Amino acid sequence: MMERLKILWDERSSREQWMLGVMFALLAVVILWLGVLRPLDAAQRSASDALREATDRNAAIRAKVKLLKSLPRPSTATDVPLEQFISQSAAEAGLTLERAQAHGANRLDMAIASVRPVALFSWLAVLEAQGVRVETMSARPSPTSGSISVQAVLARGGGQ
């Protein structure tokens, strides 16, 4: 194969050999530029943009965390009557209580006709962080797709 190429090369005049040499050199430069350098440059720019965006997001999240840490802590559930606290907390969470009946100062029987499970358990986690625990709870599928109806007894204070 190499001998055949050498024969073809030798059949060319020195001027043709010189022109072909320049052509191959230019072709190599174009292939190097289009096939290697431009893709590497594009990848570097993409990575640089992604890093810049991630750095901006990181800074924004850190600023929000700092702001959240500087906010005053919410009042605990012991400051207000349990029924009022639960009703207010449910309204803030976007939940509608069907029934909220107090049983003494530290217990409440409540019902919600239709609620998404994620919203319910998020709300209950917030209540638990503020000193209200779930004593009993029953849930059934509600007529609304993806929702449940809930009956629960909530109590103020730690677990038993």
Side-chain angles (χ1 to χ4, degrees):
M1 177 75 161
M2 290 300 283
E3 286 181 28
R4 186 165 186 222
L5 287 175
K6 183 163 175 36
I7 292 171
L8 285 173
W9 183 258
D10 290 337
E11 289 177 355
R12 304 286 170 233
S13 69
S14 63
R15 181 174 180 214
E16 288 176 334
Q17 289 176 354
W18 189 82
M19 288 173 48
L20 286 172
V22 170
M23 181 190 73
F24 290 135
L26 290 175
L27 184 63
V29 168
V30 169
I31 289 173
L32 178 68
W33 177 46
L34 293 178
V36 178
L37 297 178
R38 282 186 60 185
L40 285 176
D41 185 50
Q44 182 182 11
R45 287 178 195 220
S46 174
S48 176
D49 291 344
L51 177 63
R52 190 176 310 111
E53 289 175 15
T55 303
D56 290 345
R57 278 194 314 268
N58 185 7
I61 289 172
R62 286 181 183 270
K64 288 178 183 178
V65 166
K66 187 176 182 180
L67 178 65
L68 286 174
K69 285 183 177 180
S70 70
L71 291 175
R73 295 282 181 200
S75 61
T76 61
T78 59
D79 296 346
V80 295
L82 185 61
E83 183 177 4
Q84 179 184 350
F85 176 75
I86 296 297
S87 298
Q88 181 181 2
S89 176
E92 289 172 358
L95 305 177
T96 304
L97 295 180
E98 184 178 303
R99 175 177 42 100
Q101 184 177 10
H103 294 285
N106 293 327
R107 290 187 70 209
L108 177 87
D109 185 17
M110 62 134 232
I112 300 176
S114 180
V115 63
R116 299 254 182 221
V118 172
L120 173 70
F121 290 115
S122 297
W123 177 60
L124 290 175
V126 169
L127 289 179
E128 185 177 278
Q130 295 179 346
V132 176
R133 62 184 166 84
V134 177
E135 278 191 351
T136 62
M137 182 174 81
S138 66
R140 294 190 185 106
S142 72
T144 307
S145 177
S147 296
I148 56 174
S149 61
V150 178
Q151 294 180 346
V153 175
L154 304 177
R156 180 178 290 162
Q160 297 175 354

